Amino acid sequence: MKNWPVIAILGSAQFVMVLDGTVMNVSISTVVEDLDTSVDAMQAAITFYTLTMAALMLLGAKLGDVWGRRRAFVIGSIVYAVGSLTTALSPNVAVLFLGWSIIEGLGAVLVIPAIAALIADNYDGHARVSAYAIIGAASGAAVAAGPLIGGFMTTYLSWRYVFVAEVVIMAGVVLFARRIEDRTGARPSRIDVLSVLLSAAGLVFVVFGMLQSKTWGWVIPLQPPIVGGMEIAPLGVSPTTWFILAGSALIWAFVARQRHLAAAGRPPLVDITLFHILRLRSGLTVLLAQYAMTAGLFFMMPVYLQMTLGLDALQTGIRIFPLSIGLILFSILGTRLSLLWSPRRIIRVGQVILVFASGLLLGAVDLELKSLAFGAGMFAAGAALGLLASQIGNVNMSSVGEEQSSEVGGLQGVFQNLGSSLGTALIGSVLIGALATSFAGGVATSSLPEETQAVVAEATQGGVSIVPAASVPELATEAGLDDAEAAELERVYAESQIESLRVSLVALIVIALASLFFSRGIPTAVFGRAPGEGPDERADAPASPTKENS
């Protein structure tokens, strides 16, 4: 690649967008103490950051067309920097919520679709494949390095410095954004308000329902919300089900609205015929699975390292860091392989490696950390995700012409959020459900007296929470157990955590295997095939929504 400044600017913005959430996840306890708030309030802030992006991503992509992609990128970067500064200076959780969950989220919905579209504007051929691979590597590196950066800053300085650094980076992005070419420019168009409302409400309902499933349960209510002393579970069904059904109905209405607008000759918010393109459908589905697996992995590994083994945030980040190294290296390797292998082969090799990596981690998860096997498993997982990242962006964006790249960029943002929410929800539900079952079985077969088993069973009949294993003896002593019984209960709980983690890793393997089926529509031609050598199905060839693509 000769045009490095552009990808450096776009990659820096992408890194900051993804880094934000991972840093906050490992800093929760410190932020709670600093702002004199609660874990529930912080979890709400994290959730609403995701919801803001999910709700308005399609609008952000449309505004990129209306204003011009570079202008939308610059405006979004400024808004994001304002949100980061507000978060860094926040005196209480309300200001943090405003700065992080709302203002930063609004900036992100303009920046993320613009990044994908501007790469298509500034790069062609193999350079475009490399650019999307770098963006994918930046995302993965931010996910993996976030706990390390957040752990270091929180432990030795302050979590606020992370957001100050984001302001500085985004200021540099805005300053050098003039180096970015915007071939399409502004295309003034009317935005249908009803479409925005339907898409925003539908995606919020679906994403929020998924995120709450680990607490509320999917169908059978576990811990539904309580309003006025009454549990909210209509007809005995979890609110998660109702939220997802309501969201699905709103999305269906949104699709119907887009068809009506197109038939009436008015510009829709999203061109629904894009989903007729097999390559794009497959690419978006693989993207969703990729982010689901990434989110699931980053949900369960901190649980193992922090809750079971008792490592702090910095130590957790160090153990996870091999994933970042593997992801960056294999993102680069993936772009080289694209000269020899088809995108489908590279993606499927990555999916198979992810299954292998999950198997390594399955064997490494124990009460005593098997450092070598765990490190190898994390590196292999990073390698797999790097191979996927090196191809998916280009597969999706090359499915359409440059005039529709903003729309596809917005769809990528939506599918990323849905995938992350689904991965966290699925793996979280599996983990918590398996923990409850394993703990109940472990207590029943333990050396604890029957009366003690009855006390424990009564205390956990509403479910088993994920807490540090080292805190169980203190909780047990407060419940009236003696020291020997408390030690036995700690052993049972720690082993139950290990068993539930293994079950969750098996679920991750199932998702990775299922994603192999979704990749059947990925292009099979080697990148760079000359015209006339076969069907025009090259990785860089724009595809039209015709019968041949469907």
Side-chain angles (χ1 to χ4, degrees):
M1 293 181 62
K2 297 179 180 179
N3 194 6
W4 279 104
V6 170
I7 195 59
I9 296 166
L10 298 177
S12 297
Q14 182 75 15
F15 184 86
V16 169
M17 300 289 113
V18 179
L19 178 73
D20 223 41
T22 57
V23 166
M24 192 60 79
N25 280 331
V26 300
S27 306
I28 286 179
S29 58
T30 304
V31 179
V32 166
E33 182 179 353
D34 193 13
L35 299 182
D36 191 24
T37 184
S38 65
V39 173
D40 288 343
M42 286 305 303
Q43 289 176 335
I46 292 172
T47 299
F48 270 87
Y49 178 63
T50 304
L51 291 177
T52 300
M53 289 193 292
L56 299 175
M57 192 66 70
L58 295 179
L59 174 61
K62 191 67 175 180
L63 289 174
D65 288 336
V66 174
W67 295 342
R69 293 155 184 176
R70 184 173 62 185
R71 180 178 295 177
F73 177 76
V74 170
I75 293 173
S77 297
I78 294 172
V79 172
Y80 197 92
V82 170
S84 295
L85 183 61
T86 304
T87 305
L89 300 176
S90 55
N92 52 53
V93 71
V95 177
L96 180 139
F97 187 93
L98 173 65
W100 187 46
S101 305
I102 305 299
I103 299 178
E104 285 191 30
L106 291 173
V109 301
L110 290 171
V111 172
I112 291 175
I115 289 174
L118 288 170
I119 288 176
D121 280 345
N122 286 267
Y123 298 97
D124 295 298
H126 194 258
R128 182 182 292 182
V129 179
S130 298
Y132 282 120
I134 290 170
I135 292 297
S139 297
V143 169
L148 186 62
I149 295 171
F152 178 83
M153 288 291 190
T154 302
T155 302
Y156 296 106
L157 295 170
S158 169
W159 58 272
R160 297 177 186 272
Y161 285 108
V162 177
F163 293 94
V164 172
E166 289 182 357
V167 175
V168 174
I169 294 172
M170 297 311 289
V173 165
V174 172
L175 181 63
F176 293 102
R178 63 180 182 274
R179 299 289 299 270
I180 303 172
E181 181 183 357
D182 185 355
R183 296 178 186 173
T184 307
R187 291 181 293 170
S189 175
R190 179 182 175 184
I191 297 177
D192 184 62
V193 176
L194 181 57
S195 295
V196 173
L197 295 176
L198 287 173
S199 66
L203 290 170
V204 164
F205 272 67
V206 170
V207 171
F208 186 70
M210 288 180 177
L211 290 171
Q212 291 298 111
S213 65
K214 59 182 180 293
T215 302
W216 295 343
W218 284 95
V219 179
I220 300 174
L222 298 178
Q223 300 176 40
I226 299 176
V227 178
M230 296 181 59
E231 290 187 346
I232 306 301
L235 303 178
V237 176
S238 168
T240 295
T241 301
W242 297 113
F243 268 91
I244 293 177
L245 287 175
S248 299
L250 288 168
I251 291 172
W252 178 85
F254 167 75
V255 172
R257 176 66 177 174
Q258 303 317 291
R259 289 173 175 159
H260 170 74
L261 290 173
R266 296 168 57 189
L269 190 63
V270 172
D271 184 1
I272 299 301
T273 61
L274 290 175
F275 289 99
H276 296 168
I277 306 172
L278 176 59
R279 180 192 307 185
L280 180 60
R281 289 203 309 270
S282 296
L284 290 174
T285 308
V286 171
L287 181 71
L288 183 143
Q290 173 193 344
Y291 272 80
M293 290 182 284
T294 303
L297 191 63
F298 276 88
F299 179 84
M300 69 176 78
M301 286 302 111
V303 168
Y304 169 58
L305 295 170
Q306 294 184 346
M307 299 298 183
T308 306
L309 301 184
L311 303 184
D312 61 26
L314 181 57
Q315 293 170 322
T316 299
I318 292 172
R319 295 300 192 282
I320 292 175
F321 196 62
L323 185 145
S324 184
I325 297 173
L327 195 150
I328 293 171
L329 290 177
F330 278 79
S331 292
I332 297 170
L333 178 61
T335 63
R336 297 298 181 184
L337 285 174
S338 63
L339 295 171
L340 304 172
W341 291 358
S342 70
R344 183 190 295 183
R345 176 180 290 185
I346 295 172
I347 287 171
R348 287 190 164 176
V349 167
Q351 292 168 329
V352 170
I353 292 176
L354 193 55
V355 173
F356 171 73
S358 301
L360 279 177
L361 293 171
L362 189 62
V365 169
D366 204 343
L367 291 175
E368 296 291 333
L369 178 62
K370 298 177 181 178
S371 298
L372 183 60
F374 185 82
M378 294 302 290
F379 180 84
L385 295 172
L387 290 176
L388 295 176
S390 72
Q391 304 299 312
I392 291 297
N394 188 60
V395 167
N396 288 333
M397 299 304 296
S398 64
S399 300
V400 298
E402 290 180 2
E403 70 281 355
Q404 293 179 303
S405 57
S406 285
E407 287 181 273
V408 175
L411 289 174
Q412 284 197 140
V414 170
F415 276 74
Q416 288 170 7
N417 277 290
L418 287 175
S420 297
S421 303
L422 182 61
T424 302
L426 280 175
I427 298 301
S429 296
V430 170
L431 184 67
I432 293 171
L435 178 61
T437 302
S438 180
F439 185 66
V443 169
T445 58
S446 69
S447 60
L448 293 170
E450 289 187 5
E451 58 272 18
T452 302
Q453 292 184 19
V455 170
V456 173
E458 182 179 356
T460 59
Q461 63 181 355
V464 179
S465 300
I466 299 176
V467 298
S471 69
V472 171
E474 181 181 351
L475 297 174
T477 302
E478 291 176 357
L481 277 64
D482 60 35
D483 291 343
E485 292 172 339
E488 174 67 6
L489 194 64
E490 179 187 10
R491 181 193 66 79
V492 171
Y493 183 77
E495 290 181 352
S496 299
Q497 280 190 337
I498 294 296
E499 290 302 316
S500 63
L501 284 163
R502 287 172 179 161
V503 172
S504 299
L505 281 166
V506 171
L508 195 69
I509 291 173
V510 171
I511 296 174
L513 290 172
S515 68
L516 283 166
F517 173 77
F518 300 139
S519 61
R520 69 188 189 280
I522 302 295
T524 58
V526 176
F527 177 85
R529 172 177 290 173
E533 291 182 24
D536 189 15
E537 207 174 354
R538 294 171 289 150
D540 62 331
S544 301
T546 61
K547 292 181 180 179
E548 287 77 17
N549 296 115
S550 303

